[in-house]
Amino acid sequence: MFAIINKGLTGIAALRVSAVPPLLKPSIKRRCWLQALGLSLLMHTSIAGTVKTVYFYNPETSVDNFAALKTEFDSYLSGQGDYSFQPFSERKTFEQMLTGQNQGVYLLSSWHYAQLNAKTPLSAMLVGVVKGELLQRKILLGKDIASLDQLAGATIAGAGSDDYLRTQLQQMLATRYAALAPKIKILTVPKDIDALMSVGFGMATAAIASESSFNKLALMNPKQQAQLKILASGEKSFTLIAAVAKPQQQEEKPLLSVIEAMAQQPNGEKKLKMLGLDGWKRVDAIDPALAKQLR
């Protein structure tokens, strides 16, 4: 028998085993095995050499089913050319993929882009648009909290790394942060919606989330949303960024054009909604003062 290795959404290898008919002679079995393995390797090499991939990781986007997200985007992109879509649910796996990678398009949050750009040279080409806006704001929300002083000893939930969430808190709490920071516990969760829900379920005292996620909670669970109060607000940042490795700007232009044009296609617009976007705007077409933040 032979095994063909396929990589799943988070890079964990899965095996699919196909048995050779038992009535074949050993020599024929071996020949069949070698032919099948050779074909498999040839197909893998061909695909790896021609297909351009869109890589996606953004904990701020509420994704319920990564397999469905991949299927929908693969279906759309493959209809536009030799393109595929690879979403990631874990930051570590996404960054491991990015190490040494210099082709394809990366869809990621602005804070993650800033962190990665410091060690992996990237160039932002497109920014996401939500209801005509390029920027979003993070907010701190709590339940049954009358004063920020009550955050001492509290657990605050949020999507992203511990460092990122504490940086957000520092922006929001300003001078109060120094006194509260040592007493605050951080609960990291996969998505903004998870952070908001954790407050409702009593797992956290407060949550950090985007304004759009807070508004989305009103549709998902209006009762929980009504119980949350905005305690503080952060600075505005870009929603989602489409970036490429700096040496590859010209080579990735066809794929970037396909991504940019999604909002003009009914089927493409539907896929973008799965990422929480209404469309894209080129970085070279936005206000120069905003574009400067991405350089």
Side-chain angles (χ1 to χ4, degrees):
M1 57 177 59
F2 62 90
I4 300 173
I5 298 178
N6 291 318
K7 287 191 175 180
L9 294 181
T10 56
I12 300 174
L15 296 178
R16 184 175 75 250
V17 179
S18 176
V20 177
L23 296 179
L24 292 178
K25 294 180 180 179
S27 60
I28 298 177
K29 286 183 180 180
R30 187 172 185 275
R31 187 160 63 249
C32 288
W33 182 85
L34 290 172
Q35 288 174 345
L37 180 60
L39 178 61
S40 174
L41 290 173
L42 179 62
M43 290 174 64
H44 178 77
T45 302
S46 174
I47 292 173
T50 59
V51 175
K52 292 284 188 178
T53 303
V54 178
Y55 301 97
F56 168 80
Y57 172 72
N58 183 17
E60 297 171 6
T61 300
S62 179
V63 178
D64 297 321
N65 189 323
F66 280 88
L69 181 67
K70 177 172 172 57
T71 298
E72 291 291 329
F73 268 81
D74 273 344
S75 174
Y76 180 83
L77 292 173
S78 62
Q80 309 297 316
D82 291 327
Y83 307 127
S84 67
F85 185 78
Q86 183 66 66
F88 290 81
S89 60
E90 296 179 5
R91 177 182 176 180
K92 183 178 179 181
T93 309
F94 176 80
E95 292 185 355
Q96 286 175 341
M97 174 281 304
L98 192 60
T99 303
Q101 178 74 257
N102 64 353
Q103 62 178 4
V105 174
Y106 316 113
L107 306 184
L108 67 170
S109 64
S110 58
W111 66 266
H112 200 189
Y113 170 81
Q115 286 189 339
L116 289 176
N117 203 25
K119 51 186 178 181
T120 304
L122 297 174
S123 180
M125 307 300 288
L126 303 171
V127 291
V129 179
V130 180
K131 295 182 179 179
E133 298 290 334
L134 302 177
L135 303 175
Q136 65 176 353
R137 189 190 304 277
K138 286 288 187 177
I139 51 180
L140 178 65
L141 303 114
K143 179 182 176 182
D144 300 326
I145 294 180
S147 166
L148 288 175
D149 294 331
Q150 290 180 258
L151 291 176
T155 296
I156 298 179
S161 67
D162 186 279
D163 287 344
Y164 164 71
L165 294 170
R166 289 189 180 277
T167 299
Q168 290 292 313
L169 283 173
Q170 189 170 15
Q171 290 179 356
M172 295 179 192
L173 302 180
T175 54
R176 295 193 183 192
Y177 177 76
L180 292 172
K183 304 172 187 178
I184 290 175
K185 300 172 185 176
I186 298 294
L187 172 65
T188 58
V189 296
K191 299 173 290 188
D192 273 8
I193 289 293
D194 297 326
L196 295 171
M197 298 289 279
S198 69
V199 178
F201 291 131
M203 298 170 62
T205 308
I208 296 173
S210 65
E211 290 175 320
S212 59
S213 293
F214 181 50
N215 293 334
K216 186 172 183 178
L217 182 63
L219 301 176
M220 296 173 59
N221 194 323
K223 184 177 179 180
Q224 277 201 357
Q225 199 254 15
Q227 294 174 340
L228 297 176
K229 175 186 175 184
I230 298 177
L231 305 174
S233 299
E235 299 173 1
K236 285 190 173 184
S237 62
F238 290 101
T239 53
L240 191 66
I241 292 172
V244 299
K246 279 193 174 174
Q248 299 293 115
Q249 287 105 317
Q250 295 301 318
E251 188 174 335
E252 306 301 345
K253 274 190 174 181
L255 178 52
L256 285 165
S257 296
V258 169
I259 296 171
E260 183 184 4
M262 289 182 73
Q264 278 71 58
Q265 304 292 331
N267 197 27
E269 186 179 23
K270 181 181 176 183
K271 311 305 182 196
L272 279 181
K273 294 291 185 184
M274 297 178 74
L275 301 182
L277 298 180
D278 297 323
W280 296 97
K281 195 162 186 178
R282 293 195 309 274
V283 171
D284 60 13
I286 68 176
D287 187 319
L290 291 177
K292 189 177 180 180
Q293 298 177 24
L294 298 170
R295 297 192 184 111

